[in-house]
Structures are given as structure tokens and as C-alpha cells.
Amino acid sequence: MACQQETLDEIFSVLDTCTPAQRERFLLFALDGYTYTEISRMCNCSKVAVHQSIKAVREKFLKFFSQEH
């Protein structure tokens, strides 16, 4: 249980470094399973903007977890 809480804390700490748009788009994709097209419609932005947001968040996660280990 403690390990799960620690992992959640780490995830939230990375998400806290994201812009609101990045966080929203990433969560819609990763948790809710929406496609880039669906997210672009919901957020009134281009698919390219969705892709860039999700890519930026993924890079933050990779950087964070590569520094941890």
C-alpha cells in the first residue's frame, strides 16, 4: 500500500509540472482512452497540439523516472 501511494505521489508530482492543457489532454488520452481527434474536438485545438501535449508529458515522465533510478 505504501509503494502504491508513493507511485501515485510521483505521478501527481510530474503532472503538477505540466500546463493545464497538457495535463487535460494527457489524461483524456491515457486514462479515458480518447483518440487525438476526439481530444482535439473536446479541447477545441488541433490534433498536432494534442500530439505535442501528450509527447511533452511523456517526456516529463521519462525524465523523472530515469532520474529516480
Side-chain angles (χ1 to χ4, degrees):
M1 188 88 169
C3 288
Q4 288 177 337
Q5 186 60 47
E6 183 178 334
T7 300
L8 281 175
D9 291 344
E10 291 172 338
I11 290 169
F12 286 124
S13 70
V14 172
L15 289 174
D16 285 344
T17 69
C18 300
T19 67
Q22 288 173 336
R23 186 171 35 255
E24 178 183 26
R25 294 168 188 169
F26 179 79
L27 293 174
L28 285 169
F29 178 76
L31 295 182
D32 297 325
Y34 289 106
T35 65
Y36 287 14
T37 300
E38 292 169 324
I39 297 167
S40 69
R41 288 183 190 139
M42 286 187 273
C43 297
N44 197 30
C45 65
S46 70
K47 285 188 346 183
V48 171
V50 174
H51 172 75
Q52 290 172 340
S53 291
I54 292 169
K55 181 180 176 187
V57 176
R58 284 179 170 162
E59 288 172 355
K60 289 177 187 224
F61 273 107
L62 289 172
K63 182 178 179 182
F64 178 84
F65 285 108
S66 69
Q67 291 173 356
E68 286 284 309
H69 299 91

